[in-house]
Amino acid sequence: MKLRRNRVLLGGVLLVILAGSVPLLAFQATHPITGRRIAGVMGVGGADWLERPERETEEQPDKALDALGLKPGMTVADIGAGTGYMSLRMAKRVGPSGKVYANDLQPEMLRLLRENAAEAKLTNVETVLGTESDPKLPKGQVDLVLLVDVYHEFSQPQQMLRKIREALKPDGRLVLLEYRKEDPKIPIRPEHKMSVAEVKAELEPEGFLLGPVIETLPRQHILILTKTPSR
């Protein structure tokens, strides 16, 4: 990876998320249905934290992807892709005949992601600069949309979900990985966690049906949703 390690910054970002005072992009709002406090977005200054070695044991990303059954030739999207930590893993699984749309709000994150994809010699990753209300994905073309510790940061969640729904194929899946709010022992600030009940309450009114909730990861729910057939 070409990311420059900055241990002072890295420690600060961890302190922010775990305890309180972070270099997150400031945002103060609550969800209109659940009243959940919407978390701030991590800025590019926290890029090193996304690539921290501890993430392998804390989140077990390959085990998470194993649960999703990605296959060669699939078209998938990673929203809030950051430096490409999950995008590159997905790209290897869908293979040269597949495609990954790697979306982020921050051009500098996408620049780092492109560098990492080039270093890994992956040519099936397309970066997409989205907005707070639209991930800018092609309509009706995506088999799976992945949000890893991202949905809780959406400042306009209802608008984003409607656009994600438009991007999915009729049988497409939306997958959220979210730190379990039900477990107070997980050392992440409450606004960076989601409960299963919150996900159901917030996403089902936007045309999604919560299906399997897989609890095989150390700290995160794997929440799988499909499009409600009647909409």
Side-chain angles (χ1 to χ4, degrees), residues 27-31 35-39 152 181 189-192:
F27 185 77
Q28 294 289 331
T30 56
H31 193 281
R36 172 184 60 84
R37 181 182 172 190
I38 294 172
H152 63 263
K181 185 176 282 189
R189 287 178 53 156
E191 66 268 29
H192 290 276

Side-chain angles (χ1 to χ4, degrees), residues 63-95:
K63 187 174 184 179
L65 292 178
D66 287 344
L68 303 184
L70 299 183
K71 294 180 174 59
M74 291 179 73
T75 297
V76 298
D78 183 12
I79 294 181
T83 58
Y85 187 80
M86 296 297 282
S87 301
L88 273 56
R89 285 172 166 79
M90 295 168 76
K92 292 173 183 175
R93 291 176 182 241
V94 302

Side-chain angles (χ1 to χ4, degrees), residues 207-225:
F208 289 96
L209 180 65
L210 179 61
V213 179
I214 301 171
E215 301 289 14
T216 56
L217 301 182
R219 296 182 174 184
Q220 295 157 296
H221 300 297
I222 303 174
L223 302 125
I224 301 175
L225 300 105

Side-chain angles (χ1 to χ4, degrees), residues 66-197:
D66 287 344
L68 303 184
L70 299 183
K71 294 180 174 59
M74 291 179 73
T75 297
V76 298
D78 183 12
I79 294 181
T83 58
Y85 187 80
M86 296 297 282
S87 301
L88 273 56
R89 285 172 166 79
M90 295 168 76
K92 292 173 183 175
R93 291 176 182 241
V94 302
S97 61
K99 184 163 190 170
V100 177
Y101 290 103
N103 155 281
D104 206 274
L105 289 173
Q106 302 176 70
E108 185 65 10
M109 283 288 199
L110 295 178
R111 182 187 67 78
L112 293 171
L113 193 155
R114 287 191 290 270
E115 289 182 2
N116 292 337
E119 185 175 347
K121 297 181 170 53
L122 293 168
T123 59
N124 59 341
V125 179
E126 179 178 331
T127 56
V128 181
L129 182 64
T131 71
E132 292 182 352
S133 60
D134 188 350
K136 304 291 185 179
L137 298 174
K139 290 185 179 181
Q141 295 186 31
V142 183
D143 294 295
L144 183 143
V145 171
L146 181 64
L147 306 175
V148 179
D149 303 322
V150 165
Y151 171 77
H152 63 263
E153 297 179 351
F154 283 173
S155 63
Q156 299 183 49
Q158 293 163 308
Q159 294 92 323
M160 282 289 283
L161 288 171
R162 291 163 197 164
K163 291 296 184 179
I164 290 170
R165 195 177 189 283
E166 289 178 2
L168 285 169
K169 294 179 180 179
D171 60 349
R173 293 174 291 162
L174 169 60
V175 178
L176 277 61
L177 269 63
E178 288 285 349
Y179 278 79
R180 291 191 286 271
K181 185 176 282 189
E182 297 90 340
D183 186 351
K185 298 187 299 297
I186 293 174
I188 298 290
R189 287 178 53 156
E191 66 268 29
H192 290 276
K193 298 179 180 181
M194 292 285 296
S195 69
V196 174

Side-chain angles (χ1 to χ4, degrees), residues 38-53:
I38 294 172
V41 175
M42 178 183 287
V44 71
D48 279 351
W49 192 73
L50 299 176
E51 300 285 345
R52 68 195 187 281

